[in-house]
Amino acid sequence: MSNASWSPPDASSVGSTLETFILEGMFQRPAATGAFTSLLNQIALAAKIITTRVRRAGLADVLGYTGDENVQGERVQKLDVIANDTLIASLRRRGHCAGLATEELVDPVFFANATGGYLVVADPLDGSSNIDVNISIGTIFGILRYERSAGPPTPQSFLRAGRELAAAGYVIYGSSTVLVLTTGKGVHGFTWDPSAGEFFLSHENIRCPEKGNSYSINEGNSAYYTEGVKRWNAWLKQPDKADGRPYSHRYVGSLVADAHRTLMKGGIFAYPADKKSPRGKLRLLYEASPMAFIFEAAGGKATTGRERVLDVVPEELHQRVPLVIGSLKDVEAYERIVGEIDD
Ligand code: FDP
């Protein structure tokens, strides 16, 4: 069926590229040195290279496992290694990034020649179990400021609460590649145009709807849920027309994909602590804190079930944490119902 009101976009209009968008932001802050802009560009460069590798994965003998295990005891995929190495190579350049901690590295890498004051935390390729089956995967990152006068950074330099992030974002390698970025004020999405070789601004000022109608959790773990999570899970399925229940269930199993849908359409994503994973499954530094930073900047909410995710100070690099993110009202309902039972 044709849509009579649609007309093709003006061929002469060129959208704002990620680089222009960041630069324009910089010009509004006359004191900015350009280092932060340049660092973001290096992350965008890594995203461009990773998306190219992901898109050609089936042709380039990069699917499957390397035979190694990572620090979490998980089997490492070849694309995990490629994404991790790409981030290291990209951030090593230009000297703005003093160190990088990732889910794949036992210890952070430090860039000895760096003069800039930034540290980066990242999950280079999130959703590993979906790599081989063409389901959306992604890269998650957070940027921390580092005071150079404190001396060279150490692994402890990364152990900071998410509320201290200077910026966070993710790249979703889905039906298209989209980079979502925030410096804490306003969340913006940029879509990769392979023909132009650029990310263009496509989703300006993303707001997470105040309430949604879908929930996202691994229901296969329901036997291990706490009593509070069981009660919340059952409540979501009880019909209540005025409240929009029952909610629909959506679960991809790639955090980036489940979070992106939740951010755009509203609803709730939960990977709570359960009897199988008493501290939760997702990593505080590389997954939970950046996502929490993005959701709060978009008007949503992020909790562990007991406290604000952005207030959790990591005790170790690879620490796991329960993560519940989504629409303000949906996360508040989770806190209220789960909080009724002390377990
Ligand atoms: P994966 O194990 O495939 O790497 O970070 C790990 C993660 O994926 C998240 O992307 C995802 O949300 C979650 O684990 C899925 O875990 P379950 O398979 O236990 O549901």
Side-chain angles (χ1 to χ4, degrees):
M1 199 171 71
S2 71
N3 181 348
S5 63
W6 185 84
S7 57
D10 177 2
S12 67
S13 71
V14 176
S16 173
T17 65
L18 174 62
E19 187 167 4
T20 309
F21 190 82
I22 297 168
L23 273 173
E24 283 171 357
M26 193 188 103
F27 288 136
Q28 284 164 17
R29 288 181 298 127
T33 60
F36 187 62
T37 304
S38 185
L39 177 72
L40 286 175
N41 279 328
Q42 291 309 104
I43 292 177
L45 173 65
K48 290 178 190 178
I49 296 170
I50 298 169
T51 195
T52 308
R53 303 300 293 266
V54 167
R55 299 278 172 226
R56 296 192 63 244
L59 302 170
D61 189 30
V62 293
L63 291 179
Y65 296 94
T66 61
D68 296 328
E69 282 189 354
N70 69 9
V71 60
Q72 331 274 345
E74 300 159 340
R75 295 199 299 160
V76 175
Q77 304 247 13
K78 293 178 191 169
L79 270 175
D80 283 325
V81 176
I82 289 170
N84 194 57
D85 289 352
T86 302
L87 264 180
I88 296 173
S90 183
L91 290 172
R92 190 188 293 283
R93 297 200 168 262
R94 303 234 184 129
H96 306 306
C97 179
L100 169 70
T102 81
E103 194 179 304
E104 299 303 325
L105 297 167
V106 179
D107 298 309
V109 282
F110 295 103
F111 303 115
N113 296 329
T115 50
Y118 292 101
L119 299 174
V120 175
V121 289
D123 180 355
L125 208 58
D126 169 69
S128 299
S129 55
N130 282 324
I131 291 177
D132 286 3
V133 286
N134 272 43
I135 292 175
S136 299
I137 49 182
T139 298
I140 307 171
F141 61 90
I143 300 174
L144 288 159
R145 287 201 179 80
Y146 180 68
E147 192 48 66
R148 300 244 20 139
S149 57
T154 66
Q156 276 64 39
S157 311
F158 291 88
L159 303 182
R160 313 237 300 268
R163 61 172 183 268
E164 290 190 45
L165 285 165
Y170 60 79
V171 188
I172 178 165
Y173 311 109
S175 51
S176 58
T177 296
V178 176
L179 188 153
V180 172
L181 177 69
T182 182
T183 52
K185 284 189 211 120
V187 179
H188 308 289
F190 302 82
T191 300
W192 169 242
D193 179 344
S195 56
E198 291 283 1
F199 280 102
F200 285 98
L201 180 64
S202 50
H203 303 75
E204 192 166 6
N205 202 15
I206 296 168
R207 300 298 296 166
C208 182
E210 198 179 39
K211 187 179 181 317
N213 58 14
S214 71
Y215 74 103
S216 189
I217 188 170
N218 186 337
E219 289 263 0
N221 289 337
S222 57
Y224 307 119
Y225 291 167
T226 61
E227 291 309 310
V229 172
K230 280 183 186 166
R231 182 181 285 196
W232 165 76
N233 190 246
W235 175 83
L236 286 168
K237 297 173 195 172
Q238 273 162 20
D240 180 334
K241 215 169 170 190
D243 197 29
R245 286 182 283 134
Y247 273 32
S248 295
H249 182 237
R250 297 282 182 273
Y251 190 71
V252 176
S254 283
L255 174 62
V256 168
D258 285 313
H260 187 62
R261 184 198 54 250
T262 306
L263 183 72
M264 303 301 291
K265 296 193 166 184
I268 185 164
F269 168 89
Y271 209 115
D274 61 25
K275 290 186 191 109
K276 203 167 79 173
S277 315
R279 301 195 68 182
K281 179 182 180 192
L282 302 173
R283 288 75 176 178
L284 176 58
L285 272 182
Y286 320 119
E287 298 173 309
S289 284
M291 283 299 179
F293 193 74
I294 294 164
F295 271 79
E296 286 204 6
K301 194 167 183 186
T303 179
T304 65
R306 293 184 186 277
E307 64 183 315
R308 184 182 176 221
V309 174
L310 292 183
D311 285 340
V312 182
V313 181
E315 286 163 15
E316 51 178 341
L317 286 171
H318 300 286
Q319 183 172 327
R320 296 172 192 263
V321 73
L323 177 67
V324 181
I325 46 176
S327 296
L328 184 68
K329 298 261 183 249
D330 291 318
V331 176
E332 282 174 356
Y334 177 96
E335 289 176 315
R336 192 181 65 247
I337 296 165
V338 172
E340 284 166 4
I341 301 179
D342 190 17
D343 60 0

